Amino acid sequence: MIKVGIIGSTGYAGGELVRLLTAHKHAEIVWYGSRSYIDKKYADVYRNMFEIVDNVCMDDNMEELAERVDVIFTATPQGLCASLVNEEILSKVKIIDLSADFRIKDAATYEKWYGLEHKSPQFIEEAVYGLCEINREKVKKARLVANPGCYTTCSILTVYPLAKEGMIDMGTLIIDAKSGTSGAGRGANVSNLYCEVNENIKAYGVTTHRHTPEIEEQLGYAAEEAVVLNFTPHLVPMNRGILVTGYAKLTRDVSDEEIKAIYDKYYADEKFIRVLEKELCPETKWVEGSNYVDINFRVDKRTGRIIMMGAMDNLVKGAAGQAVQNMNLMFGLGETEGLELVPMFP
Amino acid sequence: MIKVGIIGSTGYAGGELVRLLTAHKHAEIVWYGSRSYIDKKYADVYRNMFEIVDNVCMDDNMEELAERVDVIFTATPQGLCASLVNEEILSKVKIIDLSADFRIKDAATYEKWYGLEHKSPQFIEEAVYGLCEINREKVKKARLVANPGCYTTCSILTVYPLAKEGMIDMGTLIIDAKSGTSGAGRGANVSNLYCEVNENIKAYGVTTHRHTPEIEEQLGYAAEEAVVLNFTPHLVPMNRGILVTGYAKLTRDVSDEEIKAIYDKYYADEKFIRVLEKELCPETKWVEGSNYVDINFRVDKRTGRIIMMGAMDNLVKGAAGQAVQNMNLMFGLGETEGLELVPMFP
Amino acid sequence: MIKVGIIGSTGYAGGELVRLLTAHKHAEIVWYGSRSYIDKKYADVYRNMFEIVDNVCMDDNMEELAERVDVIFTATPQGLCASLVNEEILSKVKIIDLSADFRIKDAATYEKWYGLEHKSPQFIEEAVYGLCEINREKVKKARLVANPGCYTTCSILTVYPLAKEGMIDMGTLIIDAKSGTSGAGRGANVSNLYCEVNENIKAYGVTTHRHTPEIEEQLGYAAEEAVVLNFTPHLVPMNRGILVTGYAKLTRDVSDEEIKAIYDKYYADEKFIRVLEKELCPETKWVEGSNYVDINFRVDKRTGRIIMMGAMDNLVKGAAGQAVQNMNLMFGLGETEGLELVPMFP
Amino acid sequence: MIKVGIIGSTGYAGGELVRLLTAHKHAEIVWYGSRSYIDKKYADVYRNMFEIVDNVCMDDNMEELAERVDVIFTATPQGLCASLVNEEILSKVKIIDLSADFRIKDAATYEKWYGLEHKSPQFIEEAVYGLCEINREKVKKARLVANPGCYTTCSILTVYPLAKEGMIDMGTLIIDAKSGTSGAGRGANVSNLYCEVNENIKAYGVTTHRHTPEIEEQLGYAAEEAVVLNFTPHLVPMNRGILVTGYAKLTRDVSDEEIKAIYDKYYADEKFIRVLEKELCPETKWVEGSNYVDINFRVDKRTGRIIMMGAMDNLVKGAAGQAVQNMNLMFGLGETEGLELVPMFP
């Protein structure tokens, strides 16, 4: 039984980790960290957990956790994990960081987009970017995994095969993304109130959203060139789900079948990626509550562009599900353990 | 492995049966009945099931099913199950009927409220009302189970201990219920369109809703008297969930602690019923996707009434989950098999 | 042109006052009070008002306002209006208080339910309860109007004719109410976040909600007896709208037609009250954005009860619309001035 | 008083026409056409209109209407208006067609994208494309106005000034649009049911949506070149609102201020177009129920692109509001008559 500690267990991503790990056959949460709710029963904060979780919330103590658990998940604001981690801790415990601290290989880029000084640049090189479908082998050997962002997971997986195979002109790539409101977190802000979000849609973080450099870096590795793109997120009145719509010029005249073959080459054996049948557009509802990413595309002969679409649950494959997938790989478990979640509809 | 056939697998309750049984370790669906979608791939009707279910939809053939499966679930409109079932079929296969055909012991009452002639009154007596927490032992031996209605499950379980113990004046009982829209089914009616339901709430079926006699009958058994009550359902702009608010005069001056003790007497050992901590009101979101019913109450000294509240997921405990719970009992499996679903939040 | 000052113009009720008064032919807002946003442009707080309102927010200064305006609306938390008002102010300016400070004639009752000391009990007697359809003539002569609560307006208007005519046993009256989330205000609380309210319904304030004594007092005047009832509010995932479902024993055997005639006696000439055609249930969506209250009922011969239903927009007839209606009466304008709002559907 | 006839008054756009014209001082609806509800009271179909509209629905008889009214609005499926109109009718009555029949100047393009034979190509040349802000003078003299599509209105107005002034490379223009569900109409389809739309987002009509050639044609006039672009609509779980996010390469290095000046040049005097203050992103909620289009943009120095955003209410400025605006112009009324609607929030 893998002993798990969670730092930041009472945010939405933390809560989803608890939902998934509670049902995981080979893991057991022994530390529910939550600076905001210390000594409060976890099930009083998330009442879905009544009679399922009896623990109380604990402070964020990574040193003590390193002694008591096999793996720490940090589902915390940017900067916290980097400020706590050190070599002694990493020598005792594996860390899966759901924040952005170790996702970007260039500390200067991190500091520019996040407006934070990086407190542990010495571990950036070692950290593995935990997008399992792409970095599976590296994850298996990692001590420190940077769990990808929600928008980035969906964006990268949707575009990756075509970038890798040189099918699209990376300089023309535009990603227009739409997210449910759980992505904004559980903070008590007026802009996240029911009445402000409901019956409303807006773009935000236009040209400045922090997931931009993460997408650029990873797609740059795939395309083997520097990538600069526009990424525009939108807030949608729903709890869960991210939909990504990507646009790019094709590098050559190509048929739907050729594109489909490329997606299949990379994803046919991937349990959690479903390339849909012809003409079907991904919908977030069809993957809700599960670790799936549904992907499809449409070639437009009129404009010479391809429209790529990807849908997933931002709290599962976009956060907690992918984190558990990383844990499974790091501990040699079956990769789908605890993640064979059937999407809930309606 | 229990072989399962579903008649009516493409309604919302049928779809939920598929979601639950797909993940059930000891059951296997071998027949996806759907008169509306014969020969169509099931995953084309419910795309959440893509790469999970490969079967195509079949016609409703109970005779053939009786030869091929161990249990038939009928998730069909009222009247269908009663028109198909016969002794030969029942001698070969167990039936769990999610419609109302065998819920009401008095055929005349059924015919009056449903406006239908009952086609198999000879099986009404035998049929077991499948509210597991109350009729567990009978269910274990049943050939034919009448799976309770959604509103009725929540209403009965919320009121049952107090009715049984004579704590409330049954002549004063009023049940005001609120349901998500999946309860209205997947039929293409203008009144169920997104724009008509969204940002709206209304009562419907006032004084005439068909779940009324079902609640009256079952609570009558508990109270050992004839019960006549007002039941008023409301349509709420959400997909899933039923909340029941019950009002009744207390038969004597009683403390919160005494009432709590009565609930605990009946439900402390019930896995799927959670009597909440003092002052907490049940919320449908805290049980979403799970088989739980959350219950609590408030005594009002000013009026001498008790307000009883119950929340559950109408498609799980109110339909498919309870049906699986019945199946587990009928086949001697662990009662919670396939139902240890952690509620999804948010 | 009536000069208007609003104290508390940036809450949801305040915002609705601005929406309505901006389009009012005989009123002009000259003071947008908002302690939270002093010196900020009003249109930066409510961006729907961009290019419509150019003013900046001002502090809450009732003394100064009394010099500059003809009427002050206080859309503020309980206690504020009572703490600011005095005889000198009232001699200069009319006040319409949207808080509960002057709604309840018995200060002790107010203090018990609200947990506040009343700072101006000397004005309670004079204050007119501004339910226009019932107190029209008194409102016309008032200096100080207590604008009714949202739940109370809908509850009282739905039950009033039957209470007045002795048709119902007031001791059996139960009111089960459902409200959209704007009723909870614009405060930044976790429990009002989109993800917590969406796909959820719950009761709250069970047996303790502050609108209870207000309903009891007003219906007591109608019935000419002391009324004690159960009032249970529920939070519904929608922005606007209140639906009230009332239950009571009829005092005698009565036909639908007789009840309809009673409602018509009181409401046939009331512009803002629509008694629906037979069998139609009120829906909040049909009155959204307007000052209407839609009412209907159903007699249940089985139980001897009547089920009464009322629907309205909580921010219009339940707050700002009724306040404007009061203003119209107090200043001798046409009662419907600025309130001929056609409900918006969908 | 302008006498108005509506053909198709019971769809959502028709219902919105009724809402707006009912409050219009100089217009009176005398014919509520609705083939689906002939002889039914209009207020039984749209119950918000109870006690406001007493008329019954009539058949679609354009010949008779031409005798009785001054203007006909056709809010009908594609093809109907073109099949009914003729010279005699147009000599007697003005027509504002809310369908696509006369929007596209090239009949072959219409027939290709709509899959319909055009029944009245002889009137295409004469018909004026009723985008008031651009074709105001032509509209004033028109007999037949083609009221623009919802997506197209928002897309064109958002991009127009920059296309006109040569600021963007039209070959790089991509429009990603998001719409509320009322845009899908009131037809009873499974895909528009509450449970299918709620908690879901999807793209549809990718590369094939019929508003594409309309946007291309109008922006082509502005840019004075043939335009071919990608337009991708998405279905959002809300009733009303369209948000358009446009992407294009800038033709030269340009500051935010220069772009703002260009928008102001075209829109500073336009009552219904609000160019927002710096850095604010348009949100559909801020214009709900009104005839406003809110527009803003962001220049991205990194990519050399501009992101343009526009938000409006699809049923008002995107359909009925613009139709009324056209009527006002055609009859020499004040352009804003009946359209001074303050957006409703929340």
Side-chain angles (χ1 to χ4, degrees):
Chain A
M1 210 66 166
I2 301 166
K3 285 192 161 48
V4 173
I6 302 175
I7 297 183
S9 67
T10 55
Y12 288 142
E16 191 73 354
L17 271 172
V18 173
R19 179 173 83 95
L20 298 182
L21 290 170
T22 298
H24 195 292
K25 270 182 295 191
H26 302 297
E28 178 191 15
I29 308 174
V30 299
W31 185 286
Y32 293 77
S34 173
R35 197 169 281 180
S36 315
Y37 294 103
I38 297 172
D39 291 338
K40 188 156 187 175
K41 283 188 62 177
Y42 188 81
D44 287 345
V45 183
Y46 281 104
R47 291 205 255 140
N48 53 328
M49 290 302 168
F50 182 55
E51 297 188 358
I52 301 173
V53 172
D54 285 331
N55 305 56
V56 298
C57 296
M58 314 283 282
D59 199 355
D60 302 338
N61 189 329
M62 205 182 264
E63 309 263 337
E64 186 177 342
L65 266 175
E67 301 293 336
R68 295 179 45 178
V69 304
D70 303 304
V71 59
I72 299 172
F73 292 89
T74 47
T76 46
Q78 325 305 336
L80 190 81
C81 182
S83 74
L84 294 178
V85 73
N86 59 44
E87 180 56 37
E88 194 186 337
I89 288 170
L90 274 180
S91 70
K92 296 179 187 163
V93 67
K94 293 177 193 294
I95 293 180
I96 299 171
D97 177 25
L98 280 76
S99 85
D101 287 1
F102 297 99
R103 292 178 193 159
I104 292 173
K105 288 298 173 202
D106 177 23
T109 300
Y110 171 88
E111 295 183 346
K112 180 179 139 209
W113 286 80
Y114 285 86
L116 280 177
E117 184 192 354
H118 201 296
K119 293 296 178 49
S120 293
Q122 70 276 24
F123 297 117
I124 294 180
E125 187 54 36
E126 172 184 352
V128 173
Y129 188 73
L131 195 46
C132 308
E133 285 74 11
I134 294 178
N135 293 332
R136 182 170 284 122
E137 295 311 314
K138 288 182 189 160
V139 169
K140 289 180 181 171
K141 292 171 283 191
R143 298 195 300 178
L144 173 59
V145 161
N147 206 60
C150 52
Y151 284 124
T152 49
T153 296
C154 199
S155 299
I156 295 167
L157 289 174
T158 300
V159 176
Y160 178 80
L162 304 189
K164 186 83 178 171
E165 297 285 326
M167 299 306 300
I168 53 178
D169 175 351
M170 299 304 286
T172 66
L173 182 60
I174 287 166
I175 294 175
D176 188 285
K178 298 90 179 169
S179 175
T181 305
S182 59
R186 214 186 187 202
N189 303 312
V190 167
S191 60
N192 294 335
L193 291 179
Y194 182 82
C195 287
E196 313 277 321
V197 171
N198 187 39
E199 292 294 290
N200 198 7
I201 183 167
K202 65 174 176 187
Y204 65 100
V206 181
T207 75
T208 62
H209 193 279
R210 294 159 167 189
H211 285 181
T212 309
E214 189 180 333
I215 301 170
E216 289 177 344
E217 178 178 332
Q218 295 298 323
L219 289 181
Y221 297 145
E224 294 177 36
E225 62 176 292
V227 171
V228 181
L229 53 76
N230 277 107
F231 167 74
T232 311
H234 297 76
L235 190 69
V236 178
M238 57 184 195
N239 282 2
R240 287 170 180 248
I242 280 180
L243 181 72
V244 151
T245 313
Y247 300 86
K249 284 278 184 185
L250 288 161
T251 49
R252 60 179 176 86
D253 190 38
V254 70
S255 68
D256 281 345
E257 289 67 28
E258 287 175 273
I259 298 290
K260 180 65 158 66
I262 290 169
Y263 273 110
D264 284 345
K265 171 178 167 188
Y266 287 86
Y267 294 149
D269 295 334
E270 289 296 341
K271 165 79 178 179
F272 295 125
I273 302 185
R274 306 191 294 191
V275 183
L276 300 185
E277 291 175 2
K278 200 170 176 179
E279 312 235 320
L280 294 180
C281 292
E283 306 186 19
T284 57
K285 189 69 190 161
W286 296 120
V287 295
E288 189 181 350
S290 81
N291 205 45
Y292 288 111
V293 185
D294 280 3
I295 292 175
N296 216 347
F297 66 90
R298 193 72 68 98
V299 169
D300 190 0
K301 295 287 185 191
R302 294 173 67 249
T303 61
R305 290 198 192 92
I306 187 166
I307 294 92
M308 300 156 278
M309 295 164 282
M312 62 167 214
D313 187 320
N314 59 306
L315 291 179
V316 189
K317 184 62 178 173
Q322 183 144 265
V324 171
Q325 194 179 351
N326 276 307
M327 180 193 80
N328 289 342
L329 289 172
M330 292 162 90
F331 285 87
L333 301 173
E335 186 171 340
T336 65
E337 198 67 65
L339 296 172
E340 299 192 333
L341 306 153
V342 183
M344 195 170 85
F345 184 91
Chain B
M1 209 68 167
I2 300 165
K3 284 192 160 46
V4 173
I6 302 174
I7 297 183
S9 66
T10 54
Y12 288 143
E16 191 73 354
L17 271 172
V18 173
R19 178 172 84 95
L20 299 182
L21 290 170
T22 298
H24 194 292
K25 269 181 297 192
H26 302 299
E28 176 191 17
I29 308 173
V30 299
W31 184 287
Y32 292 79
S34 173
R35 197 169 281 179
S36 315
Y37 294 102
I38 298 171
D39 292 339
K40 188 157 185 174
K41 284 188 63 176
Y42 188 81
D44 288 344
V45 183
Y46 281 104
R47 290 204 258 139
N48 52 328
M49 290 303 169
F50 182 55
E51 297 189 358
I52 301 173
V53 172
D54 285 331
N55 306 55
V56 297
C57 296
M58 314 283 283
D59 199 354
D60 302 340
N61 189 329
M62 203 181 265
E63 308 263 337
E64 187 179 342
L65 266 175
E67 302 293 337
R68 295 178 44 178
V69 304
D70 302 305
V71 59
I72 299 172
F73 293 89
T74 48
T76 46
Q78 325 305 336
L80 189 81
C81 183
S83 73
L84 294 179
V85 73
N86 60 44
E87 180 56 39
E88 195 186 337
I89 288 169
L90 274 178
S91 70
K92 296 179 184 160
V93 68
K94 292 178 194 293
I95 294 181
I96 300 171
D97 178 24
L98 280 75
S99 87
D101 285 2
F102 296 99
R103 292 177 192 159
I104 293 172
K105 287 297 174 202
D106 177 20
T109 300
Y110 171 89
E111 294 182 349
K112 181 179 138 208
W113 287 79
Y114 285 87
L116 278 178
E117 185 193 353
H118 201 296
K119 295 294 178 49
S120 293
Q122 71 276 23
F123 296 116
I124 294 180
E125 188 54 37
E126 173 184 351
V128 174
Y129 188 75
L131 195 46
C132 309
E133 284 74 12
I134 295 178
N135 292 332
R136 181 170 285 123
E137 295 311 313
K138 288 183 189 159
V139 169
K140 289 180 180 170
K141 291 173 285 191
R143 297 194 300 178
L144 172 59
V145 162
N147 207 61
C150 52
Y151 283 124
T152 50
T153 296
C154 198
S155 299
I156 296 166
L157 290 173
T158 301
V159 176
Y160 179 80
L162 303 189
K164 186 85 178 170
E165 297 284 326
M167 299 306 299
I168 54 178
D169 175 351
M170 298 304 287
T172 66
L173 181 60
I174 287 166
I175 294 175
D176 188 287
K178 297 91 178 167
S179 175
T181 304
S182 59
R186 215 188 187 201
N189 303 311
V190 167
S191 60
N192 294 335
L193 291 180
Y194 182 83
C195 287
E196 313 277 320
V197 172
N198 187 40
E199 291 294 289
N200 198 7
I201 182 167
K202 65 174 177 187
Y204 65 99
V206 182
T207 76
T208 62
H209 195 278
R210 295 160 166 187
H211 285 180
T212 309
E214 188 181 333
I215 301 170
E216 290 178 344
E217 180 178 330
Q218 295 299 323
L219 289 181
Y221 298 144
E224 294 177 36
E225 64 175 291
V227 171
V228 180
L229 53 77
N230 277 107
F231 167 74
T232 310
H234 297 75
L235 189 68
V236 178
M238 58 186 194
N239 282 2
R240 290 169 178 248
I242 280 180
L243 181 73
V244 151
T245 314
Y247 301 86
K249 284 278 183 188
L250 288 160
T251 50
R252 60 179 177 84
D253 190 39
V254 71
S255 68
D256 282 344
E257 289 67 29
E258 287 174 274
I259 298 289
K260 180 64 160 67
I262 290 171
Y263 274 110
D264 285 344
K265 172 178 167 188
Y266 288 86
Y267 293 149
D269 296 334
E270 290 296 343
K271 165 77 179 180
F272 295 125
I273 301 184
R274 306 191 294 193
V275 183
L276 301 186
E277 292 175 0
K278 200 171 176 178
E279 311 235 321
L280 294 180
C281 292
E283 308 185 18
T284 57
K285 188 70 191 162
W286 296 120
V287 294
E288 189 180 350
S290 82
N291 204 46
Y292 288 111
V293 185
D294 279 4
I295 292 175
N296 216 346
F297 65 91
R298 192 72 68 99
V299 169
D300 189 1
K301 297 286 185 192
R302 295 172 67 248
T303 62
R305 290 199 192 92
I306 187 166
I307 293 92
M308 300 155 278
M309 295 163 281
M312 61 168 213
D313 187 320
N314 58 307
L315 291 180
V316 188
K317 183 63 178 173
Q322 183 143 265
V324 170
Q325 195 179 350
N326 276 308
M327 182 192 79
N328 290 342
L329 289 172
M330 293 162 90
F331 287 86
L333 302 173
E335 187 172 339
T336 65
E337 197 66 65
L339 296 172
E340 298 193 332
L341 306 152
V342 182
M344 193 169 88
F345 185 89
Chain C
M1 210 67 167
I2 300 165
K3 286 193 159 47
V4 173
I6 303 174
I7 297 183
S9 66
T10 54
Y12 288 143
E16 191 72 353
L17 272 172
V18 173
R19 178 173 84 95
L20 299 182
L21 291 171
T22 298
H24 195 292
K25 269 181 296 189
H26 302 298
E28 178 192 14
I29 309 173
V30 300
W31 184 288
Y32 292 80
S34 173
R35 197 169 281 180
S36 315
Y37 295 102
I38 296 171
D39 291 337
K40 187 157 186 177
K41 283 188 65 177
Y42 189 81
D44 287 344
V45 183
Y46 281 104
R47 291 206 255 139
N48 52 329
M49 290 303 169
F50 182 55
E51 297 188 357
I52 301 173
V53 172
D54 284 331
N55 305 56
V56 298
C57 296
M58 315 283 283
D59 199 355
D60 303 340
N61 189 329
M62 204 181 266
E63 309 264 337
E64 187 179 344
L65 266 174
E67 302 292 337
R68 295 181 45 180
V69 303
D70 303 305
V71 59
I72 299 172
F73 293 89
T74 48
T76 46
Q78 326 303 336
L80 189 80
C81 182
S83 73
L84 294 178
V85 74
N86 60 44
E87 180 56 36
E88 195 188 337
I89 287 169
L90 274 179
S91 69
K92 295 180 187 161
V93 68
K94 294 178 192 293
I95 294 181
I96 300 171
D97 177 24
L98 281 74
S99 87
D101 286 1
F102 296 100
R103 292 179 193 158
I104 292 172
K105 289 298 173 200
D106 178 22
T109 300
Y110 171 89
E111 294 182 347
K112 180 179 140 210
W113 287 81
Y114 285 86
L116 280 177
E117 184 192 353
H118 201 296
K119 296 294 178 52
S120 294
Q122 71 275 23
F123 297 116
I124 294 181
E125 188 53 36
E126 173 186 350
V128 174
Y129 188 74
L131 195 46
C132 309
E133 284 75 13
I134 294 177
N135 292 333
R136 182 170 286 123
E137 296 311 315
K138 288 184 188 159
V139 169
K140 288 180 182 172
K141 293 172 282 190
R143 296 195 301 178
L144 171 57
V145 161
N147 206 59
C150 52
Y151 283 124
T152 49
T153 295
C154 199
S155 299
I156 295 166
L157 290 174
T158 300
V159 176
Y160 179 80
L162 304 188
K164 185 85 178 170
E165 297 283 327
M167 299 306 299
I168 54 178
D169 175 351
M170 298 304 287
T172 66
L173 182 59
I174 286 166
I175 294 175
D176 188 285
K178 299 90 179 166
S179 175
T181 305
S182 59
R186 214 186 187 200
N189 303 311
V190 167
S191 60
N192 294 335
L193 290 179
Y194 183 84
C195 287
E196 313 277 320
V197 172
N198 187 40
E199 292 294 291
N200 197 7
I201 183 168
K202 65 173 177 186
Y204 66 100
V206 182
T207 76
T208 62
H209 194 278
R210 294 161 166 189
H211 285 180
T212 309
E214 188 181 333
I215 301 170
E216 291 177 343
E217 179 178 332
Q218 296 298 323
L219 289 180
Y221 298 144
E224 294 176 34
E225 63 176 291
V227 172
V228 180
L229 54 75
N230 277 106
F231 167 73
T232 311
H234 297 76
L235 190 68
V236 178
M238 57 186 193
N239 282 2
R240 288 170 178 246
I242 279 180
L243 182 72
V244 151
T245 313
Y247 302 85
K249 284 278 184 187
L250 287 160
T251 49
R252 60 179 177 86
D253 189 38
V254 69
S255 68
D256 282 345
E257 288 68 28
E258 287 175 273
I259 298 290
K260 179 66 160 64
I262 291 170
Y263 274 110
D264 285 344
K265 172 178 168 188
Y266 288 85
Y267 294 150
D269 295 334
E270 289 295 344
K271 164 79 178 178
F272 295 126
I273 302 185
R274 306 190 295 191
V275 183
L276 301 185
E277 292 176 0
K278 200 170 176 178
E279 313 235 320
L280 294 180
C281 292
E283 307 186 19
T284 57
K285 188 69 191 164
W286 296 119
V287 295
E288 189 180 353
S290 82
N291 204 45
Y292 288 110
V293 185
D294 279 3
I295 292 176
N296 215 349
F297 66 90
R298 192 72 69 99
V299 169
D300 189 1
K301 297 285 185 191
R302 295 173 67 247
T303 62
R305 288 198 194 93
I306 187 166
I307 295 91
M308 300 155 281
M309 295 164 280
M312 62 167 211
D313 186 319
N314 59 307
L315 291 180
V316 189
K317 183 63 178 173
Q322 184 144 262
V324 170
Q325 194 178 351
N326 276 308
M327 180 192 79
N328 289 341
L329 289 171
M330 294 162 90
F331 286 87
L333 302 173
E335 187 171 340
T336 64
E337 198 66 64
L339 296 172
E340 298 193 332
L341 306 152
V342 183
M344 194 169 86
F345 184 90
Chain D
M1 209 66 166
I2 300 166
K3 286 194 159 48
V4 172
I6 303 174
I7 297 183
S9 67
T10 55
Y12 288 142
E16 191 72 354
L17 272 172
V18 173
R19 178 173 84 95
L20 298 183
L21 290 171
T22 298
H24 195 291
K25 269 180 296 190
H26 301 299
E28 179 192 14
I29 308 174
V30 298
W31 185 287
Y32 292 79
S34 172
R35 198 169 280 179
S36 315
Y37 294 102
I38 296 172
D39 291 338
K40 189 157 185 175
K41 283 188 64 179
Y42 189 81
D44 288 344
V45 184
Y46 281 102
R47 291 205 256 139
N48 52 329
M49 290 303 167
F50 182 55
E51 296 188 358
I52 301 173
V53 172
D54 285 331
N55 306 54
V56 298
C57 296
M58 315 284 281
D59 199 356
D60 301 340
N61 189 330
M62 204 181 265
E63 309 263 336
E64 187 179 342
L65 267 174
E67 302 293 336
R68 295 178 46 178
V69 303
D70 302 306
V71 59
I72 299 171
F73 292 89
T74 48
T76 47
Q78 325 305 336
L80 189 80
C81 183
S83 74
L84 294 179
V85 73
N86 60 44
E87 180 56 36
E88 194 187 337
I89 288 169
L90 275 179
S91 69
K92 297 178 186 164
V93 68
K94 294 178 193 293
I95 294 180
I96 299 171
D97 177 25
L98 279 76
S99 85
D101 286 1
F102 297 100
R103 292 179 193 156
I104 292 173
K105 288 297 174 202
D106 177 21
T109 300
Y110 171 88
E111 294 183 347
K112 180 179 140 206
W113 286 80
Y114 285 86
L116 280 178
E117 185 193 352
H118 200 296
K119 294 296 176 51
S120 293
Q122 71 275 23
F123 297 116
I124 295 181
E125 187 53 35
E126 173 185 352
V128 173
Y129 188 73
L131 196 45
C132 309
E133 284 75 12
I134 294 178
N135 292 332
R136 182 170 286 125
E137 295 311 316
K138 287 183 190 159
V139 169
K140 289 179 182 173
K141 292 171 284 189
R143 296 194 302 177
L144 172 58
V145 161
N147 207 60
C150 52
Y151 283 123
T152 48
T153 295
C154 199
S155 300
I156 296 166
L157 290 174
T158 301
V159 176
Y160 178 79
L162 304 189
K164 186 83 177 171
E165 297 284 327
M167 299 307 299
I168 54 179
D169 175 350
M170 299 303 287
T172 65
L173 181 60
I174 287 167
I175 295 175
D176 188 286
K178 299 90 178 168
S179 175
T181 305
S182 59
R186 215 186 184 199
N189 303 312
V190 167
S191 60
N192 294 335
L193 290 179
Y194 183 83
C195 288
E196 313 276 320
V197 172
N198 187 40
E199 291 294 290
N200 197 7
I201 183 169
K202 64 174 177 187
Y204 66 99
V206 182
T207 75
T208 63
H209 194 278
R210 293 159 167 192
H211 285 180
T212 310
E214 189 181 333
I215 301 169
E216 290 177 344
E217 179 178 331
Q218 296 299 323
L219 289 181
Y221 297 144
E224 295 177 32
E225 64 175 290
V227 171
V228 180
L229 54 75
N230 277 108
F231 167 74
T232 310
H234 297 76
L235 190 68
V236 178
M238 58 185 193
N239 283 2
R240 288 169 179 248
I242 280 180
L243 182 72
V244 151
T245 315
Y247 301 86
K249 283 279 184 186
L250 288 160
T251 49
R252 61 181 176 83
D253 190 38
V254 70
S255 69
D256 281 344
E257 289 67 28
E258 286 175 274
I259 297 289
K260 180 66 159 65
I262 290 170
Y263 274 110
D264 285 344
K265 171 178 167 187
Y266 287 86
Y267 294 150
D269 295 333
E270 289 296 342
K271 165 78 178 179
F272 295 125
I273 302 184
R274 306 191 295 191
V275 182
L276 301 185
E277 292 175 0
K278 201 170 176 179
E279 312 234 322
L280 295 180
C281 292
E283 306 186 19
T284 58
K285 189 69 190 163
W286 297 119
V287 294
E288 189 180 350
S290 81
N291 204 46
Y292 288 111
V293 185
D294 279 4
I295 292 176
N296 216 348
F297 66 90
R298 192 73 69 99
V299 169
D300 190 0
K301 298 285 186 192
R302 294 173 67 248
T303 62
R305 289 198 194 92
I306 186 165
I307 294 91
M308 299 156 280
M309 296 165 279
M312 63 167 209
D313 186 319
N314 58 307
L315 292 179
V316 189
K317 183 63 178 172
Q322 182 143 265
V324 171
Q325 195 178 351
N326 277 308
M327 181 192 78
N328 289 343
L329 289 172
M330 293 162 89
F331 286 86
L333 302 173
E335 186 171 340
T336 65
E337 198 66 65
L339 296 172
E340 298 193 333
L341 306 152
V342 183
M344 194 169 87
F345 184 91

